[in-house]
PDB file of all heavy atoms in Angstrom:
ATOM      1  N   VAL A  25      97.044 117.249 133.004  1.00  0.00           N
ATOM      2  CA  VAL A  25      96.073 118.220 133.493  1.00  0.00           C
ATOM      3  C   VAL A  25      95.919 119.349 132.496  1.00  0.00           C
ATOM      4  O   VAL A  25      96.825 119.648 131.712  1.00  0.00           O
ATOM      5  CB  VAL A  25      96.455 118.770 134.888  1.00  0.00           C
ATOM      6  CG1 VAL A  25      96.521 117.646 135.909  1.00  0.00           C
ATOM      7  CG2 VAL A  25      97.763 119.528 134.850  1.00  0.00           C
ATOM      8  N   GLN A  26      94.753 119.962 132.539  1.00  0.00           N
ATOM      9  CA  GLN A  26      94.441 121.088 131.670  1.00  0.00           C
ATOM     10  C   GLN A  26      93.994 122.239 132.564  1.00  0.00           C
ATOM     11  O   GLN A  26      93.115 122.052 133.418  1.00  0.00           O
ATOM     12  CB  GLN A  26      93.348 120.691 130.694  1.00  0.00           C
ATOM     13  CG  GLN A  26      93.131 121.692 129.585  1.00  0.00           C
ATOM     14  CD  GLN A  26      92.161 121.145 128.558  1.00  0.00           C
ATOM     15  OE1 GLN A  26      90.982 121.016 128.840  1.00  0.00           O
ATOM     16  NE2 GLN A  26      92.657 120.832 127.380  1.00  0.00           N
ATOM     17  N   VAL A  27      94.612 123.410 132.368  1.00  0.00           N
ATOM     18  CA  VAL A  27      94.306 124.565 133.198  1.00  0.00           C
ATOM     19  C   VAL A  27      94.146 125.819 132.335  1.00  0.00           C
ATOM     20  O   VAL A  27      94.676 125.902 131.237  1.00  0.00           O
ATOM     21  CB  VAL A  27      95.420 124.840 134.242  1.00  0.00           C
ATOM     22  CG1 VAL A  27      95.602 123.656 135.182  1.00  0.00           C
ATOM     23  CG2 VAL A  27      96.743 125.217 133.584  1.00  0.00           C
ATOM     24  N   ASN A  28      93.404 126.766 132.876  1.00  0.00           N
ATOM     25  CA  ASN A  28      93.457 128.141 132.401  1.00  0.00           C
ATOM     26  C   ASN A  28      94.232 128.901 133.458  1.00  0.00           C
ATOM     27  O   ASN A  28      94.119 128.607 134.654  1.00  0.00           O
ATOM     28  CB  ASN A  28      92.064 128.747 132.261  1.00  0.00           C
ATOM     29  CG  ASN A  28      91.439 128.410 130.925  1.00  0.00           C
ATOM     30  OD1 ASN A  28      92.114 128.321 129.906  1.00  0.00           O
ATOM     31  ND2 ASN A  28      90.131 128.217 130.923  1.00  0.00           N
ATOM     32  N   TYR A  29      95.039 129.872 133.040  1.00  0.00           N
ATOM     33  CA  TYR A  29      95.839 130.619 134.013  1.00  0.00           C
ATOM     34  C   TYR A  29      96.141 132.014 133.502  1.00  0.00           C
ATOM     35  O   TYR A  29      96.046 132.305 132.311  1.00  0.00           O
ATOM     36  CB  TYR A  29      97.161 129.895 134.291  1.00  0.00           C
ATOM     37  CG  TYR A  29      98.108 129.953 133.124  1.00  0.00           C
ATOM     38  CD1 TYR A  29      99.046 130.973 133.009  1.00  0.00           C
ATOM     39  CD2 TYR A  29      98.020 129.026 132.095  1.00  0.00           C
ATOM     40  CE1 TYR A  29      99.879 131.050 131.901  1.00  0.00           C
ATOM     41  CE2 TYR A  29      98.856 129.094 130.989  1.00  0.00           C
ATOM     42  CZ  TYR A  29      99.783 130.110 130.904  1.00  0.00           C
ATOM     43  OH  TYR A  29     100.596 130.194 129.809  1.00  0.00           O
ATOM     44  N   SER A  42      96.602 131.943 129.400  1.00  0.00           N
ATOM     45  CA  SER A  42      96.079 130.942 128.462  1.00  0.00           C
ATOM     46  C   SER A  42      94.938 131.531 127.639  1.00  0.00           C
ATOM     47  O   SER A  42      94.777 131.184 126.467  1.00  0.00           O
ATOM     48  CB  SER A  42      95.627 129.686 129.207  1.00  0.00           C
ATOM     49  OG  SER A  42      94.626 129.987 130.160  1.00  0.00           O
ATOM     50  N   ALA A  43      94.158 132.440 128.212  1.00  0.00           N
ATOM     51  CA  ALA A  43      93.057 133.065 127.479  1.00  0.00           C
ATOM     52  C   ALA A  43      93.594 133.868 126.292  1.00  0.00           C
ATOM     53  O   ALA A  43      93.027 133.833 125.202  1.00  0.00           O
ATOM     54  CB  ALA A  43      92.239 133.957 128.407  1.00  0.00           C
ATOM     55  N   LYS A  45      96.149 133.193 124.632  1.00  0.00           N
ATOM     56  CA  LYS A  45      96.580 132.224 123.617  1.00  0.00           C
ATOM     57  C   LYS A  45      95.396 131.513 122.978  1.00  0.00           C
ATOM     58  O   LYS A  45      95.555 130.780 122.011  1.00  0.00           O
ATOM     59  CB  LYS A  45      97.531 131.204 124.238  1.00  0.00           C
ATOM     60  CG  LYS A  45      98.828 131.820 124.685  1.00  0.00           C
ATOM     61  CD  LYS A  45      99.699 130.805 125.385  1.00  0.00           C
ATOM     62  CE  LYS A  45     100.996 131.449 125.840  1.00  0.00           C
ATOM     63  NZ  LYS A  45     101.831 130.558 126.615  1.00  0.00           N
ATOM     64  N   GLY A  46      94.215 131.677 123.577  1.00  0.00           N
ATOM     65  CA  GLY A  46      93.006 131.110 123.010  1.00  0.00           C
ATOM     66  C   GLY A  46      92.783 129.637 123.293  1.00  0.00           C
ATOM     67  O   GLY A  46      91.916 129.016 122.697  1.00  0.00           O
ATOM     68  N   ARG A  47      93.557 129.076 124.236  1.00  0.00           N
ATOM     69  CA  ARG A  47      93.357 127.663 124.574  1.00  0.00           C
ATOM     70  C   ARG A  47      93.952 127.388 125.955  1.00  0.00           C
ATOM     71  O   ARG A  47      94.918 128.032 126.364  1.00  0.00           O
ATOM     72  CB  ARG A  47      93.996 126.759 123.540  1.00  0.00           C
ATOM     73  CG  ARG A  47      95.495 126.848 123.473  1.00  0.00           C
ATOM     74  CD  ARG A  47      96.080 125.992 122.339  1.00  0.00           C
ATOM     75  NE  ARG A  47      97.517 126.021 122.329  1.00  0.00           N
ATOM     76  CZ  ARG A  47      98.274 127.048 121.965  1.00  0.00           C
ATOM     77  NH1 ARG A  47      97.719 128.180 121.596  1.00  0.00           N
ATOM     78  NH2 ARG A  47      99.591 126.965 121.979  1.00  0.00           N
ATOM     79  N   PRO A  48      93.393 126.390 126.645  1.00  0.00           N
ATOM     80  CA  PRO A  48      93.952 126.001 127.934  1.00  0.00           C
ATOM     81  C   PRO A  48      95.369 125.426 127.773  1.00  0.00           C
ATOM     82  O   PRO A  48      95.767 125.023 126.687  1.00  0.00           O
ATOM     83  CB  PRO A  48      92.994 124.921 128.449  1.00  0.00           C
ATOM     84  CG  PRO A  48      91.748 125.096 127.658  1.00  0.00           C
ATOM     85  CD  PRO A  48      92.180 125.639 126.323  1.00  0.00           C
ATOM     86  N   PHE A  49      96.087 125.388 128.873  1.00  0.00           N
ATOM     87  CA  PHE A  49      97.447 124.858 128.922  1.00  0.00           C
ATOM     88  C   PHE A  49      97.403 123.444 129.479  1.00  0.00           C
ATOM     89  O   PHE A  49      96.720 123.191 130.471  1.00  0.00           O
ATOM     90  CB  PHE A  49      98.297 125.767 129.812  1.00  0.00           C
ATOM     91  CG  PHE A  49      99.702 125.290 130.039  1.00  0.00           C
ATOM     92  CD1 PHE A  49     100.583 125.110 128.984  1.00  0.00           C
ATOM     93  CD2 PHE A  49     100.145 125.038 131.323  1.00  0.00           C
ATOM     94  CE1 PHE A  49     101.881 124.682 129.214  1.00  0.00           C
ATOM     95  CE2 PHE A  49     101.447 124.612 131.562  1.00  0.00           C
ATOM     96  CZ  PHE A  49     102.310 124.437 130.500  1.00  0.00           C
ATOM     97  N   GLN A  50      98.109 122.510 128.828  1.00  0.00           N
ATOM     98  CA  GLN A  50      98.178 121.117 129.289  1.00  0.00           C
ATOM     99  C   GLN A  50      99.608 120.786 129.692  1.00  0.00           C
ATOM    100  O   GLN A  50     100.551 121.212 129.025  1.00  0.00           O
ATOM    101  CB  GLN A  50      97.786 120.146 128.179  1.00  0.00           C
ATOM    102  CG  GLN A  50      96.334 120.109 127.856  1.00  0.00           C
ATOM    103  CD  GLN A  50      96.018 118.972 126.885  1.00  0.00           C
ATOM    104  OE1 GLN A  50      96.858 118.529 126.122  1.00  0.00           O
ATOM    105  NE2 GLN A  50      94.793 118.510 126.927  1.00  0.00           N
ATOM    106  N   PHE A  51      99.738 120.007 130.760  1.00  0.00           N
ATOM    107  CA  PHE A  51     101.050 119.522 131.168  1.00  0.00           C
ATOM    108  C   PHE A  51     100.877 118.299 132.054  1.00  0.00           C
ATOM    109  O   PHE A  51      99.786 118.045 132.571  1.00  0.00           O
ATOM    110  CB  PHE A  51     101.857 120.614 131.897  1.00  0.00           C
ATOM    111  CG  PHE A  51     101.257 121.054 133.207  1.00  0.00           C
ATOM    112  CD1 PHE A  51     101.735 120.547 134.411  1.00  0.00           C
ATOM    113  CD2 PHE A  51     100.233 121.982 133.240  1.00  0.00           C
ATOM    114  CE1 PHE A  51     101.186 120.963 135.621  1.00  0.00           C
ATOM    115  CE2 PHE A  51      99.675 122.394 134.440  1.00  0.00           C
ATOM    116  CZ  PHE A  51     100.165 121.880 135.633  1.00  0.00           C
ATOM    117  N   GLU A 105      92.965 127.924 137.109  1.00  0.00           N
ATOM    118  CA  GLU A 105      91.689 127.205 137.176  1.00  0.00           C
ATOM    119  C   GLU A 105      91.927 125.804 136.625  1.00  0.00           C
ATOM    120  O   GLU A 105      92.381 125.646 135.491  1.00  0.00           O
ATOM    121  CB  GLU A 105      90.634 127.924 136.347  1.00  0.00           C
ATOM    122  CG  GLU A 105      89.299 127.212 136.348  1.00  0.00           C
ATOM    123  CD  GLU A 105      88.269 127.896 135.457  1.00  0.00           C
ATOM    124  OE1 GLU A 105      88.619 128.810 134.686  1.00  0.00           O
ATOM    125  OE2 GLU A 105      87.106 127.500 135.539  1.00  0.00           O
ATOM    126  N   LEU A 107      90.822 122.588 134.978  1.00  0.00           N
ATOM    127  CA  LEU A 107      89.719 122.200 134.091  1.00  0.00           C
ATOM    128  C   LEU A 107      89.549 120.700 133.978  1.00  0.00           C
ATOM    129  O   LEU A 107      88.428 120.206 133.851  1.00  0.00           O
ATOM    130  CB  LEU A 107      89.948 122.781 132.691  1.00  0.00           C
ATOM    131  CG  LEU A 107      90.106 124.285 132.579  1.00  0.00           C
ATOM    132  CD1 LEU A 107      90.476 124.678 131.164  1.00  0.00           C
ATOM    133  CD2 LEU A 107      88.851 124.987 133.047  1.00  0.00           C
TER     134      LEU A 107
END
Side-chain angles (χ1 to χ4, degrees):
V25 300
Q26 191 173 70
V27 300
N28 275 325
Y29 71 92
S42 59
K45 294 176 181 175
R47 65 184 183 288
F49 176 60
Q50 287 188 334
F51 65 99
E105 179 183 10
L107 303 174

